[in-house]
Amino acid sequence: MNIKWQYDQENIDWNELSELYKIAPLGEKDAKDLEMVFGNSKFKCFAFHENKIVAVGRALADGADCSYLCDVAVHPGFQGLGLGKAVIQKLVDFSEGHKKILLYANPGKEPFYKKLGFSQMNTAMAIFINHDFAVKKGLISNS
């Protein structure tokens, strides 16, 4: 399989990326919002197969203390081939030198991230704009 990697957002089709998040499935992400959040991210990683985005991820990072990996998605037709692992590893490599690298996993994905060197946190807290949805998806508890 011939995968081309890109680490900037030049010539990204944001509508195509929005569709990828929908089918991955990681939810509805507006194309304009994606352009903004990727633009505000220090690190980004796109994997292409035959000029189509098949895997993606980004990291918000401050250059020294904290890098937060987020929005990692792999096209369903390319899952199980190591692309998710490759995206995470590239973002971790880009984040080298930060005191901590964080991410939050969808419930059930924790073993995948543990294999990549991540440890479960005991003190993570969050405020979600849609609290009820986050509870329903198992991202936070309602207590």
Side-chain angles (χ1 to χ4, degrees):
M1 173 175 33
N2 188 19
I3 298 294
K4 177 187 165 224
W5 293 94
Q6 180 176 322
Y7 307 108
D8 61 39
Q9 61 192 70
E10 189 174 329
N11 299 317
I12 295 299
D13 181 333
W14 300 106
N15 290 311
E16 177 187 351
L17 186 58
S18 177
E19 186 61 27
L20 172 63
Y21 282 109
K22 190 183 305 180
I23 65 172
L26 286 170
E28 301 278 334
K29 294 184 182 274
D30 182 75
K32 288 212 177 293
D33 289 346
L34 287 170
E35 185 174 9
M36 178 176 57
V37 299
F38 272 83
N40 289 327
S41 297
K42 186 168 184 77
F43 308 118
K44 49 212 93 180
C45 183
F46 300 90
F48 292 86
H49 177 65
E50 297 179 356
N51 296 318
K52 297 288 184 193
I53 303 170
V54 295
V56 65
R58 65 186 181 94
L60 294 166
D62 59 23
D65 184 51
C66 183
S67 181
Y68 164 54
L69 281 55
C70 47
D71 288 340
V72 175
V74 178
H75 187 286
F78 290 81
Q79 292 176 4
L81 303 175
L83 284 176
K85 178 180 177 180
V87 168
I88 292 292
Q89 191 57 60
K90 287 174 188 299
L91 293 172
V92 167
D93 290 347
F94 292 152
S95 299
E96 185 178 356
H98 286 80
K99 291 181 180 138
K100 58 189 167 281
I101 301 171
L102 308 169
L103 61 79
Y104 78 86
N106 281 325
K109 299 293 184 186
E110 299 90 347
F112 171 76
Y113 292 109
K114 282 184 180 182
K115 285 190 234 174
L116 299 177
F118 288 86
S119 299
Q120 190 151 351
M121 293 179 64
N122 296 325
T123 59
M125 305 293 287
I127 297 172
F128 283 83
I129 193 166
N130 190 336
H131 178 84
D132 293 337
F133 177 78
V135 169
K136 183 179 176 183
K137 286 223 18 153
L139 299 175
I140 59 174
S141 66
N142 206 11
S143 53

